[in-house]
Amino acid sequence: MRYKLEKSWRSLLAGLLALAFLSQGQETEAQAVPPGFEFLNEPQLTEIDIHYGGYYIVSTLAEFNLNSVTLINPEEVSTRVPDVLNVEALTGLLSRPLDANQQKLCISDFEPACGMLAPTDVGIIFDRSKLRATLFISPDLLETRQASSAKYLPESSAGFSVLNENFLYYSGYGGDRLSYNLLNNTNIAAGESRFALRNNISDAHGFTIDTMAWQREFEGMNYQLGLFQGYTNSFSFMTSENLVGASIESSLLTRADLRQSLGSAIGLFLPSRSRVEIYQDGRLLASKYYDVGNQILDTASLPPGSYEIELRITDASGGTRTETQFFSKSNRLPPTDQALYFLQVGQVVERVGAGIIGEQGNMVLRGGYSTRLTDSMGVGVGLSATEGSTTLHAGFFGLGEKYQLKSGLVWETQGGLGVEVDYRADLDRLAFTLNSRKTWQDNPYAQLNQNSLQLNASLHLRTPNGYLSLFKRVSQRETFRRSNYGIRFHRTIRPFRRGAVSTDLELSRANRDFLAFLSFSVRFNGDGHTTNVASRMEYESNYDGYQRMDVGGNWQSRWMAGAFDQHQFGIRADSLNQRSIEASVETSGRPGAAQFALRRNFDAGIVEFDGLLSSSVALHSRGATIGDSRSAKSAFMISVSGVEESALFEVLVDGSPRMRVQAGQAYLLPVAPYATYEIELRPLGQDLIETDRIKHVKTVYPGNVIELQWSARRFRVVFGKLVDTIGNPITDAIISNVQGVAATDEYGYFQAEIDQFMEELIVRKADQRCVARFDAPSANSQQVVGLGALICSE
């Protein structure tokens, strides 16, 4: 209860009169006090509330009159103000009488320039009617708070743990072809260090190992020793080879204030709805259906590095074609305060072969250094030397308000040459993208490998009626050349709240094939489901005189279920180019996740399918826990005890719901590594349950599994009457051992929230104490329980 002196009533009266004078535009000086009320301007001593930045910080004694306020204990205020450069100096400034500035009080919501003060050092606005002072401090007296106080992530919060992930990718059609790849990732970790094992079992190459190495990534550095894939940062002409050796490189992943990565766009022209499979070294990494036209592939799941990928495209008729494109996912511009470098030495390992590790190749020494010259420009130089040749690399990156430019040049001692340009510009309504890469090399054993050309250029214009795009793409190797260009128009309108109508028009040429189509689609969004209906008119012709005109369409619906939409079912029917129907299922839970798609192509007479099965297992001090569907390189093991298993809780990560758990069971919650998380628990349902008010703050690195435990208690609402040993009611007494505040009324009746196992109430009145005992309510009893009359005795 707030302390007030005997003169508080005078303070209140003075405040009311002061407000009356202020509202009439009167002065608040001593001579403005009406005759007979001179005592209002006498010094008053009481406790006032101090607010700073919109928040209450402390209550402190102060002496004040109508003109000024003097803090009795100024250090109570100065020590509560955050980000102060010099607390002692602020205490000194607060020790002097401070102008009350009551003319700055806001009397109504329509007053301009009220409630604010810009002092040269410190100042207040004092509201005498509320005994409240709002404190203002000059920015010169305060520190500048950085967006991120720590440059690097803190140390790992985990001890020893093992995290294993398994993914089975599969794809095929009919009984003639089945492709599969079983990928296993295992990390045996202790803090920031780990032993990493990555292996594959595929239909093409059997059992192979990609990674078997000791790794440590901490405070801006990454170390590797063993068999690993050597990444080369922004030097895309150095492919990411598997090496047996050692590597040291700078890392941005452990930076707490900066992360930047980029994957190059892979574009395809598809004359019909097709399945596109992405392979690296004969291993299936992704499989997905794409609609007809020019498509940018989803490469989010592809691993980082610079390497060739093989695309296998199966069209509507069941025909398959392949093409190879270069892919790069790497950091571009180094941070302003850190240069990036890497150094790798070892023996090149064939990533595919008959043995577990395969045939070993040449020794290689590679290194690179890149730095930022200005806030918007960076350069890099690199070298790659093998027993047969040496390549020298140079690169430049520029970043402007409306553009990004990355360029690179490589020269090889065996006569090879390579150049790349990646330019992106956004000029309000106009956007332009150019990505080109050209190599000249006739020696098949050189580092640059072969002659190649890859070009992607597009121009996008935003008009009042939609988007107009021009595009040109070229992909050339020694064995093939594919080129397509054209124009496309897209427009979307929303005639109703939960749906949209869009139209697309495209004219394009691929090599000597010509394609024109006009399509309309309508999308409906409902509660837990979406439906899309599209119609399409298409014309196609090629160089040998073949022509085709077709009109058709498709219908597609998807339904979602589960607390986090973890169960999805979709169905689609097509009648353009082909007659087909397909169904897909995606589901996830504690054991893992499953995706399956089945497609019947009636015109080709084949059945196609593809999917993914995934799961994770964590080994820790308490045993083993099976993970859920979300793949990650680190995890938390969540458990709740103290209540029956029917109790349900929600796990919040950084304030957002991530999963639901039941008491008495262990759950694995995968999360991304190189991050610090805040994890807390919230009870669900109507039951009265309280958990430990703990917000765990933990930092994880790859392979870390951190156990987080909560203790929960169930509460019940009880009511009754307290009497003494002779039957008289115990009135106006405090019950001290319950949730919150509970007391008896004038007749001895009470209501309180108690622990489910509680069997006594501790009652206090003045200096008296007694205990009322009772039988604890059964576990299956109601949440509100009557205890009747309880005798309270010593």
Side-chain angles (χ1 to χ4, degrees), residues 262-528:
L262 182 68
S264 58
I266 301 296
L268 277 181
F269 169 80
L270 302 174
S272 67
R273 178 170 165 81
S274 305
R275 182 176 71 240
V276 180
E277 301 162 314
I278 303 178
Y279 291 81
Q280 181 191 8
D281 298 323
R283 299 173 190 140
L284 180 68
L285 297 181
S287 176
K288 187 176 180 180
Y289 283 98
Y290 293 85
D291 285 327
V292 64
N294 295 284
Q295 302 288 342
I296 301 297
L297 303 187
D298 181 4
T299 59
S301 63
L302 300 189
S306 301
Y307 45 85
E308 300 275 356
I309 58 175
E310 183 184 64
L311 307 176
R312 297 181 187 175
I313 303 101
T314 303
D315 58 26
S317 63
T320 301
R321 64 181 175 90
T322 64
E323 64 179 81
T324 304
Q325 294 204 31
F326 181 83
F327 178 78
S328 177
K329 182 182 286 187
S330 60
N331 298 307
R332 288 194 160 195
L333 190 63
T336 56
D337 60 347
Q338 179 183 356
L340 302 179
Y341 68 90
F342 70 94
L343 179 64
Q344 300 166 1
V345 59
Q347 202 166 33
V348 177
V349 174
E350 297 290 340
R351 280 174 286 184
V352 296
I356 293 179
I357 294 182
E359 181 181 353
Q360 295 183 349
N362 295 331
M363 291 295 297
V364 61
L365 173 65
R366 301 192 299 184
Y369 178 88
S370 56
T371 186
R372 185 181 295 202
L373 299 178
T374 67
D375 288 341
S376 60
M377 291 190 300
V379 295
V381 293
L383 177 144
S384 176
T386 67
E387 297 176 7
S389 68
T390 300
T391 57
L392 300 177
H393 303 251
F396 169 83
F397 184 83
L399 177 66
E401 183 179 358
K402 299 290 185 179
Y403 75 94
Q404 291 184 23
L405 172 63
K406 177 179 180 294
S407 60
L409 181 67
V410 59
W411 172 80
E412 187 169 11
T413 54
Q414 290 191 354
L417 185 65
V419 62
E420 67 171 346
V421 175
D422 189 348
Y423 179 75
R424 306 177 185 188
D426 188 356
L427 307 172
D428 297 326
R429 294 181 175 271
L430 188 66
F432 175 72
T433 300
L434 172 65
N435 180 274
S436 60
R437 187 175 188 270
K438 180 73 173 78
T439 60
W440 295 267
Q441 179 58 270
D442 295 326
N443 188 338
Y445 301 102
Q447 294 188 54
L448 289 180
N449 196 12
Q450 60 176 319
N451 292 319
S452 65
L453 171 64
Q454 188 169 313
L455 171 69
N456 289 278
S458 61
L459 182 67
H460 303 278
L461 176 64
R462 186 173 71 252
T463 71
N465 296 316
Y467 291 89
L468 182 66
S469 302
L470 301 174
F471 57 87
K472 170 72 174 182
R473 298 190 180 99
V474 178
S475 180
Q476 179 179 336
R477 296 294 188 271
E478 293 180 349
T479 57
F480 71 88
R481 174 185 171 87
R482 301 191 186 279
S483 172
N484 72 286
Y485 58 90
I487 184 172
R488 186 169 189 171
F489 177 78
H490 173 81
R491 183 184 184 188
T492 299
I493 58 175
R494 300 186 180 277
F496 39 89
R497 185 173 63 90
R498 307 189 75 175
V501 177
S502 61
T503 180
D504 290 274
L505 171 65
E506 181 174 314
L507 304 173
S508 61
R509 180 175 292 277
N511 290 344
R512 289 184 287 179
D513 294 341
F514 174 77
L515 175 68
F517 69 80
L518 175 65
S519 67
F520 296 91
S521 65
V522 182
R523 186 181 72 253
F524 304 91
N525 297 319
D527 294 329

Side-chain angles (χ1 to χ4, degrees), residues 523-536:
R523 186 181 72 253
F524 304 91
N525 297 319
D527 294 329
H529 69 87
T530 61
T531 298
N532 190 85
V533 180
S535 62
R536 184 183 182 100

